[in-house]
Amino acid sequence: MLTDQQILRIPGPTPIPPSVNRAMSQPMIGHRGQSTSDMISAIRPKLKRVFGTQQEVMILTGSGTAGLETAVVNTVAPGEEVLVVVTGAFGERFVKICKAYDIKTHVLEVEWGQAADPETVKAFLQKHPEIKVVLSTFCETSTGVLNPVKEMAAAVKEVSEALFIVDGVSCVGGTETKMDEWEIDIVVTGSQKAFMLPAGLSFVAASERAWSKIEANTQPRFYLDLKKHRDNILKDTTPFTPALSILFGLQQVLELLEEEGLEQVYKRHQLMMNMTRAAFKALDIPLLTNDEAASPTVTAVKPADFDSEAFRKIMKKEFGLEVAGGQQHLAKTIFRIGHMGYCSPADMLQAIAAMEIGLIKVGKEIELGKGVQAAQQIYLNEGE
């Protein structure tokens, strides 16, 4: 193995395109100068298209979790109650954020590996009409589940005036997102997943309904105050010092997404998901989620007859190929394969071929090439 070669097939951080790396290596500029304002002006409309919104998308210097906390602290007024739909570890992160602010938090637990049911959400809200905000993940990174947020938003609106807030950190930019059409009130994502950038930026968009609540909310906030960020981005600037090097990269990422075309970006992610799932099915290795709940950006594998941690170690040692482990009670039980951002069907064929060797080395009896062949057939059927 080449000592300096690393193949990231984890659900973030993800590989960075060479042109984005080059963009981020530009000489530093003044963050209050005209060049920065021109860059933000060029970024704004393209970000809106990725989110599927006419609203402004605020750019915060901070991780995805900063964006999640921003969504909570700006919308939940003192004394109000919220519902968090938990389908995995990052749904639980929303719970922890809410409890840190002493918010009365109702939790709707969903078995890890399954998607949320909109009808169950609706029934919960009917029993608890005092709930003012509903929070959910879009892609639950810890399980590879894509929650039906379009249908969930409709269910919430049918029985409640509550805002619907979505954590899209591990899928926005890799799966279709239509914030305005689906009537989602806040969408949050981060830079290090499908946006193909280093960690360090968080993006937050809010609906008109959400803005009404944000403006009336007396909850104290400073750095995470969305009103400050909105007022500044309308002037093509930021209220605080931005991560300029990542903004250089963001401008190039948005160029790449538009060059490929967003619809083609989403088809590519769907194709890589289908190839990965077909490979493990052909190798008779169980997947954590069913096809209907599967995310286009990350696949969770739940082996029944070999050690997932031993497999991960072999892949890292033999090929420099990293796949992620499970979290919390799924630690050492599953492994997760990221296929988002700067990732192509060719990358997945490489990864699947290498993983077949890793499976044999960990003691799993398989027919070499069977998984690759299944992935190849999916590509021939669905790819270009």
Side-chain angles (χ1 to χ4, degrees), residues 23-41 43 236-238 240-249 251:
M24 291 191 295
S25 69
Q26 294 178 71
M28 193 50 56
I29 59 177
H31 68 287
R32 297 299 180 212
Q34 188 60 45
S35 295
T36 298
S37 291
D38 290 345
M39 176 168 56
I40 292 174
S41 177
I43 284 169
D236 296 321
T237 187
T238 56
F240 310 105
T241 306
L244 275 169
S245 293
I246 308 181
L247 281 182
F248 290 147
Q251 187 174 27

Side-chain angles (χ1 to χ4, degrees), residues 280-335:
F280 281 93
K281 288 177 183 179
L283 295 168
D284 196 28
I285 299 172
L287 299 166
L288 181 63
T289 65
N290 62 32
D291 289 346
E292 291 71 28
S295 169
T297 56
V298 54
T299 294
V301 183
K302 189 178 182 181
D305 55 2
F306 65 89
D307 186 327
S308 64
E309 290 300 290
F311 169 74
R312 291 178 60 225
K313 289 176 183 175
I314 287 171
M315 296 310 301
K316 174 72 172 174
K317 179 181 178 182
E318 298 273 342
F319 298 107
L321 192 156
E322 282 195 59
V323 296
Q327 296 181 311
Q328 298 185 27
H329 68 277
L330 292 180
K332 301 183 180 180
T333 301
I334 68 169
F335 60 91

Side-chain angles (χ1 to χ4, degrees), residues 63-122:
S63 70
T65 301
L68 304 183
E69 183 168 343
T70 297
V72 170
V73 76
N74 279 269
T75 59
V76 184
E80 288 187 338
E81 300 180 22
V82 305
L83 168 63
V84 182
V85 182
V86 175
T87 55
F90 291 92
E92 290 187 353
R93 182 162 297 182
F94 257 144
V95 174
K96 291 174 182 176
I97 291 169
C98 291
K99 290 187 173 180
Y101 285 93
D102 291 324
I103 296 167
K104 184 173 181 181
T105 305
H106 301 267
V107 179
L108 178 57
E109 294 276 3
V110 179
E111 183 180 346
W112 288 32
Q114 295 185 9
D117 174 29
E119 290 301 313
T120 304
V121 174
K122 185 164 69 172

Side-chain angles (χ1 to χ4, degrees), residues 9-28:
R9 293 276 72 88
I10 61 176
T14 62
I16 299 172
S19 65
V20 175
N21 270 322
R22 289 193 296 272
M24 291 191 295
S25 69
Q26 294 178 71
M28 193 50 56

